[in-house]
């Protein structure tokens, strides 16, 4: 027993070597396996939103979800084990950016076990209560840490400059976008992407029902009130714009970045509604393309505060103008209350501007990496 304990101590003892980075290809594989993980959750969200009778934890969609967790976790652990075999120990064996994901793996497994016990004892949630289950909240937090591993890896990687190409930044974009879908899933009761065009037009014509069922909790379209749609637009605006502003503060984003992120972000509400609201989802893909055009024109960055603020405000204004414009074009015409459909994009733009000011209150200057962190390494 004593010899075993001594062996374990030697194994985990930190060799105090500088932690290295994995290769871009390794980050790409991590991101691709994270897609498997994320798609599994979307299938599960579809089932909870569209199937009325769920009586067991052991379902095909749970199999896809937890198999995704298994493969991405195995891949992350393998990166650490490769370094251990090369002679590194302790934290020195964990690639930069991979520590939080590594720690989240056993935590996720524990919450998964708790979720199985919860469903066995208390049943399967099918309405808004699914977003407040303690086991589900634990799963979404730990899952976020796992799938954002490529983002943390790229954040200070020495080969990622201030203007990275899209291919180099893609794993980080994918990881952060899928993490954003987790947030949107657990705030589905305030998700504007789940409304159909007709419901939006009716709501902003004061024809909605204030007591309507939350979107995404059943297969039928329902009427909604104007204040419900307006509040959901605010919530969704903050959820979807914030990760873009985070990245724009760090890098001058390559063309296509926002389109990639918004396309991925639209998948979760699409899965929850079985893509019955396709025009609204496509409006966000178009908004992502518009955001890329704005970045090319304004070149927002942490060093260009005015351009950064302008991008934050204008991108939000354009996004929600497209949202209402496409809803009107496919949902029966302009809403009946001009103040609502003209003022809502302005409110969104002002919120975007406020977010820009919060993310970047003062312009920042580029700083070189500390000597101890400017070390590349194979993992």
């Amino acid at each position: 027993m004593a010899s075993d304990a001594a062996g374990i101590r030697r194994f985990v003892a930190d060799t105090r070597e500088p932690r290295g980075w994995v290769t871009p290809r390794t980050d790409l594989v991590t991101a691709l396996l994270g897609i498997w993980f994320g798609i599994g959750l979307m299938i599960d969200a579809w089932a909870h939103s569209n199937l009325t009778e769920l009586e067991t934890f052991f379902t095909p969609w749970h199999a896809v979800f937890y198999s995704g967790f298994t493969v991405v976790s195995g891949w992350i652990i393998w990166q650490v084990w490769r370094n251990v075999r090369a002679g590194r120990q302790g934290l020195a064996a964990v690639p930069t950016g991979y520590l939080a994901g590594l720690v989240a793996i056993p935590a996720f497994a524990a919450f998964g076990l708790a979720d199985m016990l919860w469903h066995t004892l208390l049943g399967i949630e099918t309405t808004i209560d699914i977003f407040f289950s303690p086991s589900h909240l634990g799963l979404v937090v730990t899952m976020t840490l796992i799938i954002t591993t490529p983002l943390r890896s790229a954040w200070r990687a020495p080969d990622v400059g201030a203007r990275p190409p899209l291919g180099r930044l893609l794993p980080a974009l994918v990881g952060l976008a899928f993490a954003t879908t987790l947030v949107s899933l657990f705030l589905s009761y305030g998700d504007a992407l789940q409304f159909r065009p007709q419901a939006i037009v009716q709501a902003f014509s004061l024809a909605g029902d204030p007591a309507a069922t939350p979107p995404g909790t059943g297969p039928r379209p329902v009427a909604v009130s104007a204040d419900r749609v307006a509040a959901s637009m605010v919530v969704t605006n903050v959820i979807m714009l914030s990760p873009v502003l985070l990245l724009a503060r760090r890098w001058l984003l390559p063309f296509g970045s926002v389109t990639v992120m918004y396309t991925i972000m639209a998948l979760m509400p699409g899965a929850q509604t079985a893509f019955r609201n396709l025009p609204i989802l496509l409006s966000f893909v178009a908004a992502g393309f518009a955001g890329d055009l704005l970045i090319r024109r304004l070149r927002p960055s942490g060093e260009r505060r005015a351009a950064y603020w302008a991008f934050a405000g204008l991108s939000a204004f354009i996004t929600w103008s497209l949202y209402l414009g496409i809803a009107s074009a496919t949902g029966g015409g302009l809403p009946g209350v001009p103040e609502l459909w003209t003022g809502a994009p302005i409110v969104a733009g002002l919120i975007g501007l406020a977010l820009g000011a919060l993310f970047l209150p003062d312009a920042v200057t580029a700083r070189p990496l500390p000597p101890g962190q400017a070390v590349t390494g194979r993992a």
Side-chain angles (χ1 to χ4, degrees), residues 174-193:
V174 170
L176 183 57
F178 269 98
T180 306
T181 67
L182 303 184
V183 178
S184 70
L185 170 63
F186 277 76
L187 294 177
S188 292
Y189 41 86
D191 190 350
L193 271 68

Side-chain angles (χ1 to χ4, degrees), residues 35-182:
I35 291 176
W36 181 348
F37 198 10
I39 293 297
L41 181 61
M42 291 178 186
I43 297 173
D44 189 45
W46 165 82
H48 280 283
S49 298
N50 294 277
L51 301 182
T52 56
E53 295 183 2
L54 295 175
E55 299 179 352
T56 178
F57 176 85
F58 300 98
T59 61
W61 34 91
H62 272 180
V64 176
F65 177 51
Y66 283 102
S67 63
F69 161 70
T70 301
V71 294
V72 72
S73 298
W75 177 252
I76 291 174
I77 293 171
W78 172 245
Q79 304 315 309
V80 178
W81 178 244
R82 289 175 65 184
N83 284 337
V84 170
R85 292 177 61 187
R88 293 173 178 251
Q89 294 177 193
L91 292 179
V94 183
T96 300
Y98 277 65
L99 179 59
L102 181 67
V103 172
I105 290 171
F108 182 94
F111 282 116
L113 177 61
D115 190 46
M116 182 182 68
L117 295 175
W118 184 283
H119 289 323
T120 301
L121 298 175
L122 300 177
I124 306 295
E125 306 93 342
T126 58
T127 58
I128 195 173
D129 54 348
I130 192 174
F131 307 125
F132 294 90
S133 165
S135 59
H136 288 171
L137 294 174
L139 287 172
V140 74
V141 170
T142 50
M143 182 178 179
T144 298
L145 293 175
I146 293 171
I147 64 176
T148 53
T149 295
L151 171 66
R152 292 188 301 274
S153 178
W155 192 261
R156 303 193 71 180
D159 67 312
V160 181
R163 299 183 179 187
L166 181 61
R168 179 62 182 92
L169 204 59
L170 189 60
L173 297 175
V174 170
L176 183 57
F178 269 98
T180 306
T181 67
L182 303 184

Side-chain angles (χ1 to χ4, degrees), residues 245 305 308-309 312 350-362:
L245 293 179
R305 184 177 63 173
Y308 184 90
W309 288 5
L350 292 173
I351 292 174
L353 180 61
L355 284 175
L358 287 173
F359 272 85
L360 188 65
D362 297 299

Side-chain angles (χ1 to χ4, degrees), residues 46 50 188 191-200 215-216 218-222 236 240 265-285 320 322-323 326-327 330-331:
W46 165 82
N50 294 277
S188 292
D191 190 350
L193 271 68
Q194 295 196 30
F195 298 122
R196 292 190 184 184
Q198 296 85 350
I200 297 168
R220 290 185 174 183
V222 293
T236 307
M240 300 191 74
M265 293 177 194
L267 293 178
M268 184 63 79
Q272 290 177 274
T273 58
F275 291 92
R276 288 184 292 266
N277 56 337
L278 187 59
I280 297 303
L281 302 177
L282 291 178
S283 76
F284 265 75
V285 177
W320 295 100
L322 287 169
Y323 175 86
I326 292 179
T330 59

